[in-house]
Amino acid sequence: MDAHIVASTAPLLGWAVHGSILARRLACARRDPLTGLHTRGGWTARAEHVIRWHPNAAVLLVDLDHFKTLNDTHGHAAGDFALAETADRLRSWCGRHGLAGRLGGDEFVAVIPNLAAVDLNALTTALHRPLSYRGVRLPLAASVGACAIADLPVPCLPDALTAADAAMYAAKGRGRRGSRTTQ
């Protein structure tokens, strides 16, 4: 091969490799390393798109109940296992049409295109199924709040998150078990 061709294509190859590495790092920054779910930034952009195109969409907030007790009693590895399992259950419930994310700590979020097409009780049931960790049965419980985008005066993500948060705390107030939608 001509030395001139090699000399002129080497920088292009270097930029292509560099671009690929940066793209991979950006993708990793938008994924939570423990759960594999989208982080707040990665989830937000996608959730806004779902809300914009699906008038029957809903936003859900999920908060694990008694998570500190689980961590303090069984250790942080058990807590990490509970977070990863919660993420798997939420991701499975969302299916290929919804999108789950982890806001941080023991707080998760999801957006689904059609609230009427899903069963919130099935999600609550899945999130209350105990875990088996190193031969020990660990309790798992979560409070879920949902906001139907159609119930908002202006369909925007910040308002949906605020309403879902209020519904989630209302669910916690009913004994820290269950789900609640905005009304």
Side-chain angles (χ1 to χ4, degrees), residues 81-173:
F81 181 78
L83 293 171
E85 183 63 26
T86 299
D88 288 344
R89 293 175 186 186
L90 182 59
R91 183 186 301 111
S92 176
W93 179 84
C94 284
R96 62 186 193 128
H97 298 293
L99 179 71
R102 181 173 177 213
L103 295 180
D106 63 341
E107 295 179 335
F108 297 85
V109 66
V111 64
I112 51 174
N114 186 353
L115 181 59
V118 299
D119 181 0
L120 282 179
N121 289 330
L123 174 61
T124 303
T125 299
L127 294 176
H128 286 89
R129 230 176 32 246
L131 309 168
S132 178
Y133 176 74
R134 295 186 178 172
V136 176
R137 196 168 146 99
L138 302 178
L140 187 65
S143 296
V144 179
C147 173
I149 296 302
D151 292 344
L152 297 173
V154 177
C156 67
L157 186 58
D159 290 351
L161 286 167
T162 299
D165 189 52
M168 186 260 309
Y169 276 103
K172 278 190 180 297

Side-chain angles (χ1 to χ4, degrees), residues 1-27:
M1 185 177 272
D2 186 6
H4 177 68
I5 293 172
V6 170
S8 63
T9 58
L12 295 175
L13 179 61
W15 278 108
V17 169
H18 180 71
S20 174
I21 291 169
L22 288 177
R24 245 181 285 139
R25 284 186 179 167
L26 181 60

